[in-house]
Amino acid sequence: MFVQCFRVLEQTFAYQQSFEDLGTPLYEVTFVVIDLETTGASAANCAITEIGAVKLRGGECLGTYQTLVDPGCAIPPEITVLTGITGAMVMRAPRIEAVMPSLLEFIDGAVIVGHNIRFDISFLNAALTQLGRPRLAARSIDTLALARRLLRDEVPNYRLGTLADRLRLSHKPSHRALDDALATGDLLHFLLERAATLGVLGLEDLIALPKLAGSPQAKKLNLTDGLPREPGVYMFRDARDEVLYVGKAANLRSRVRSYFSTDERRKVGQLLRETHRIDHQVCRNGLEAAVLELRLIHQYLPRFNRQGTRAGKYPYIKLTLNERFPRLSVVRKVNNDKALYLGPVASTRVAKRIIEAIHSVAPVRRCGIASRASPNASICASAQLGVSCCPCSGATSEAEYTAVVEELVTNLTSRPDLLLAPLAARIERLATDHRYEEAADVRDRAEALAGLLRRHRRFDLLRRAGRLRLRIGNGWVELVGGRLSRSGHAGDSDELFAPVHPCTPEAPPTEPLPVPQRAEADELLTVVSWIERNADKVTIEEVEGVLANPLPALPVFKPKTKSPARRTATRTGVVPLRRSASAPRPRISRIA
C-alpha cells in the first residue's frame, strides 16, 4: 500500500505545471516516525525508557532505530503493566546522554512524525535542555491531528490501536516503541493517500491540513490546486462569475487555503459557500500586488470587501473661499470653485472632528448667517461666547475676517505648526489640571487634524516626484505622480499597468497640490504605506521631479509610552506632547 500511495502521488504530480507551485513534493520528503516509552506523562519529572524510530521516504523504509534507555529512576508498576518494560530490562541500557547523539544523527534533516507528537517532542526537548543542547528545530507532523481531520465520523476514537484495527494496518501497536512507530508509519501512508484526494501533494499543505475546518466547504479545496506559491492577487467568484472578494498574498496558495482553516467568522463561511471559482494573477512584488488589489476592488466593488469599497463615499472638508465670510463644511464632491479642499477623509464623523479641531484654534464663522441682517437679528451661540468671528454679531469687519481666513489658509497649507501648537498647549493645561477626559477629547481632534495634514504631505511628496523608478529586490516599479505605472524584473520592460498621466506640480514647494480624487487618494495611500513599511528593501534608481518636503515635521498626539511617571495620564489616553530634538519648536499662533 505504501508504494501504491506514492505512485498515485507521482501520477498526480505529472499533470502539474511546476513542482515549485506545490512546495516540497511529498515523495521527496524524508519522514522519521518516532515513538517513546516513558516513566510517566509529564516531561518535567518523568524520563524516557525506550526509543523507537522508523525512517521513511517515497513509501519505502530506509531504516529503523530502537533502544532501551536507563531512566535513572524506578519504573512505576502501572507503567510496567502497560509497556512490559521492567527495571531489570533497563538496568544495563545506556543513559539518555549516550543515546541522544545517535538519535539526532538518525533524524537529521527529516520531518518528525508521531501520534500525538507533542508528547514525544516534549520529552526529547526536556532531555536536550538537560544536556545543554538546543531544542529540536525540525518540522513535525502529528498523525493524531491528521486522523481527526481526515477520518471524522469514520472511527469511534483516534487511538493508535483503534486506527490500526479499523484501517487494517500491517503493523499493530503494542505499547513498545518500535512497534508503535511502525504502526504510526503505516497510518501516515494511509493518511497521505486520503489527503491526496483533497489536493494535498506538498509538505507545506500537509503541515497546514490539520488546521482545516471539518466543514462541507472543505470539498472546495480543489479550487486552490492551480494556485502558485508566489505573490499576487486572488479573486473569489460565484456561479454567476461575479467577484465576491479580492485579496493579495505573498504566497497565493497558502493564503487562499487558509480560508478553509478553523476561521469560524460568519462572513468567511458565507464567502466559501458562494465561491464557485478562484482566479489569480501573479505579481512581481508586494507593491504591485497591493496596487492591483486596490484597483480590482475599485473596479468590481466586491460585497465581501470592506476596505476600498467606500472610496465613492469619502467626504472632503471645504473652506468656502468663494464667499465673503468663508466657513468650513463637509462636502461629498470637489468642484472647481476656488475653495480650499482637504481630504478625502475616512468618514463624516472624522471630518467633523477635524473641523472642531480647527474651530478651537481659528475663529472662523460656524453659523450659516453670512452677514448682519438687522440690529435686532439673533446672534449665534459661538459669537456670543466669543469663540468665533461670525458676521451675525456685527463685531468683525470683512477686512478683519479676511485676515483671519488668510492666516488659517497659511496654517493649513504651509505652517501647520502654528495651528497644532495651541492644541498641544491646551492638552498640557487640561492634563495638568487633571481634566483628563477633556484633554483626551482635544487630543483626538488634534490627532485627526495632524493625521489629515500628514497624509496630504505624503501624497504631495510622491506627486511632486513625477516619474519615480524604484528597485525592489531583483525587480523594479515605476511610479508616475505617485501611482504605479509599470513593473518588471531586472532587464524586463514589460508594462503591466495602463500608463498613468503624470501629475504636473504647478504649486510652490511649500503649498500642497490640489486634493486627489477618491480612488487616486486610496492608491497614493497604499503606495506610501507600502514604501514606508518596506523602506529597507527599496532603492531609488531615478526621480524626475523633487523628492523632498521642506515643511516642518508634524507632531504626533497619540500616546507612545507607559512609563511609571506617565501612568496616570496614559490610563486615560492623555500624554504630554513630545517633540523631536531636530524638529523646530512650534510658535504659538495669534489666533487663540
Side-chain angles (χ1 to χ4, degrees):
M1 184 182 67
F2 303 160
V3 177
Q4 180 183 3
C5 164
F6 280 94
R7 283 177 180 172
V8 171
L9 295 180
E10 270 188 58
Q11 292 173 1
T12 307
F13 270 114
Y15 294 99
Q16 303 299 321
Q17 294 181 352
S18 170
F19 288 135
E20 288 74 11
D21 292 345
L22 300 167
T24 306
L26 287 174
Y27 69 85
E28 292 184 357
V29 178
T30 300
F31 298 100
V32 168
V33 184
I34 194 166
D35 186 83
L36 306 179
E37 302 301 331
T38 64
T39 59
S42 174
N45 49 29
C46 299
I48 300 171
T49 59
E50 187 179 28
I51 301 175
V54 184
K55 183 176 291 188
L56 306 169
R57 186 173 64 229
E60 298 181 359
C61 178
L62 303 182
T64 62
Y65 182 100
Q66 190 273 335
T67 181
L68 291 168
V69 180
D70 182 2
C73 61
I75 299 177
E78 60 271 19
I79 298 298
T80 298
V81 172
L82 179 67
T83 64
I85 300 176
T86 65
M89 294 172 61
V90 299
M91 183 178 300
R92 295 187 178 182
R95 298 293 297 269
I96 190 64
E97 54 266 27
V99 171
M100 194 59 70
S102 59
L103 177 63
L104 293 177
E105 182 179 357
F106 187 78
I107 65 177
D108 182 43
V111 176
I112 301 176
V113 180
H115 202 67
N116 190 17
I117 189 62
R118 288 183 298 178
F119 174 85
D120 303 283
I121 288 180
S122 66
F123 272 88
L124 292 176
N125 282 332
L128 290 170
T129 301
Q130 190 176 18
L131 297 175
R133 288 175 172 266
R135 297 165 64 91
L136 289 174
R139 289 183 287 185
S140 62
I141 299 292
D142 191 350
T143 54
L144 175 61
L146 283 175
R148 286 173 175 164
R149 172 64 188 86
L150 297 171
L151 304 176
R152 184 183 299 268
D153 301 327
E154 295 185 32
V155 292
N157 59 66
Y158 302 100
R159 296 190 183 97
L160 184 59
T162 302
L163 295 173
D165 290 337
R166 292 301 180 98
L167 303 178
R168 298 180 181 180
L169 302 180
S170 300
H171 296 88
K172 304 297 180 182
S174 63
H175 291 293
R176 292 300 299 268
L178 184 58
D179 288 345
D180 290 4
L182 290 169
T184 303
D186 294 347
L187 176 61
L188 172 67
H189 289 118
F190 180 90
L191 295 174
L192 289 179
E193 187 174 4
R194 179 67 63 89
T197 64
L198 296 177
V200 178
L201 303 173
L203 176 62
E204 290 75 10
D205 289 342
L206 183 66
I207 294 174
L209 183 59
K211 300 177 183 178
L212 299 179
S215 68
Q217 306 311 319
K219 62 184 179 182
K220 293 186 177 181
L221 270 172
N222 59 350
L223 297 178
T224 68
D225 288 349
L227 297 177
R229 298 182 183 277
E230 297 183 57
V233 175
Y234 55 91
M235 291 187 293
F236 287 85
R237 293 181 179 269
D238 62 11
R240 295 175 297 179
D241 211 36
E242 293 182 0
V243 177
L244 300 172
Y245 183 81
V246 177
K248 65 179 184 298
N251 184 318
L252 285 167
R253 184 179 177 88
S254 297
R255 179 68 186 98
V256 175
R257 291 178 73 90
S258 71
Y259 285 91
F260 297 87
S261 68
T262 53
D263 191 338
E264 297 180 356
R265 290 178 296 173
R266 178 178 57 85
K267 287 189 176 182
V268 172
Q270 181 65 25
L271 171 64
L272 295 179
R273 281 191 292 272
E274 297 187 32
T275 298
H276 185 73
R277 191 174 90 245
I278 301 176
D279 293 339
H280 73 280
Q281 180 170 331
V282 175
C283 297
R284 296 173 176 87
N285 51 66
L287 177 57
E288 183 180 308
V291 173
L292 180 57
E293 176 198 32
L294 182 65
R295 292 185 182 180
L296 290 173
I297 290 174
H298 285 166
Q299 178 182 351
Y300 294 109
L301 297 179
R303 53 191 173 91
F304 283 93
N305 282 92
R306 181 166 56 181
Q307 184 177 2
T309 58
R310 297 182 62 254
K313 301 179 181 179
Y314 290 157
Y316 291 83
I317 298 170
K318 177 181 179 181
L319 181 59
T320 57
L321 298 179
N322 52 345
E323 295 182 327
R324 289 179 56 205
F325 292 89
R327 64 191 179 99
L328 293 165
S329 62
V330 180
V331 297
R332 294 286 179 179
K333 186 178 181 181
V334 176
N335 297 316
N336 188 17
D337 53 6
K338 299 182 180 180
L340 176 65
Y341 290 90
L342 300 173
V345 293
S347 65
T348 301
R349 180 179 58 84
V350 176
K352 290 180 178 180
R353 181 176 294 174
I354 294 171
I355 290 177
E356 290 171 357
I358 298 173
H359 279 161
S360 63
V361 177
V364 292
R365 74 179 173 103
R366 307 184 187 184
C367 66
I369 304 174
S371 63
R372 178 72 169 171
S374 66
N376 297 324
S378 60
I379 302 175
C380 69
S382 59
Q384 293 181 38
L385 295 173
V387 295
S388 67
C389 300
C390 292
C392 62
S393 66
T396 304
S397 66
E398 185 173 348
E400 292 173 331
Y401 192 85
T402 299
V404 170
V405 172
E406 289 177 351
E407 187 169 2
L408 174 59
V409 172
T410 300
N411 293 345
L412 288 173
T413 56
S414 59
R415 293 303 305 272
D417 51 321
L418 303 182
L419 192 62
L420 296 172
L423 296 172
R426 187 176 180 186
I427 294 172
E428 297 280 4
R429 288 196 304 269
L430 292 171
T432 302
D433 295 340
H434 304 288
R435 298 162 63 183
Y436 296 123
E437 292 184 1
E438 295 178 64
D441 186 54
V442 176
R443 181 211 63 200
D444 291 342
R445 296 177 186 177
E447 178 56 30
L449 175 58
L452 174 63
L453 298 176
R454 194 177 298 116
R455 187 163 60 250
H456 269 280
R457 287 191 181 184
R458 292 171 177 172
F459 293 167
D460 293 351
L461 183 67
L462 286 179
R463 295 163 80 193
R464 294 182 196 280
R467 189 175 300 276
L468 176 64
R469 188 182 177 98
L470 304 174
R471 179 162 53 84
I472 304 173
N474 63 345
W476 57 268
V477 296
E478 189 173 272
L479 306 175
V480 178
R483 304 186 67 183
L484 190 58
S485 175
R486 296 192 302 163
S487 178
H489 292 296
D492 177 20
S493 60
D494 291 340
E495 187 171 286
L496 175 65
F497 295 107
V500 177
H501 295 292
C503 175
T504 304
E506 298 175 351
T510 57
E511 295 184 13
L513 298 168
V515 294
Q517 296 299 316
R518 296 178 177 93
E520 180 186 1
D522 267 354
E523 183 168 332
L524 287 170
L525 186 60
T526 297
V527 172
V528 169
S529 300
W530 191 93
I531 292 177
E532 287 181 348
R533 290 194 308 269
N534 301 273
D536 58 324
K537 306 173 185 176
V538 177
T539 302
I540 300 176
E541 290 189 337
E542 181 182 350
V543 59
E544 185 180 61
V546 177
L547 191 63
N549 194 333
L551 300 177
L554 292 172
V556 177
F557 291 86
K558 291 182 179 179
K560 290 189 175 180
T561 62
K562 291 188 178 180
S563 61
R566 297 154 64 91
R567 189 169 295 154
T568 302
T570 55
R571 190 175 294 117
T572 59
V574 179
V575 177
L577 180 65
R578 284 187 170 183
R579 299 188 185 93
S580 172
S582 60
R585 185 178 183 84
R587 184 180 57 165
I588 303 301
S589 172
R590 292 193 298 268
I591 303 176

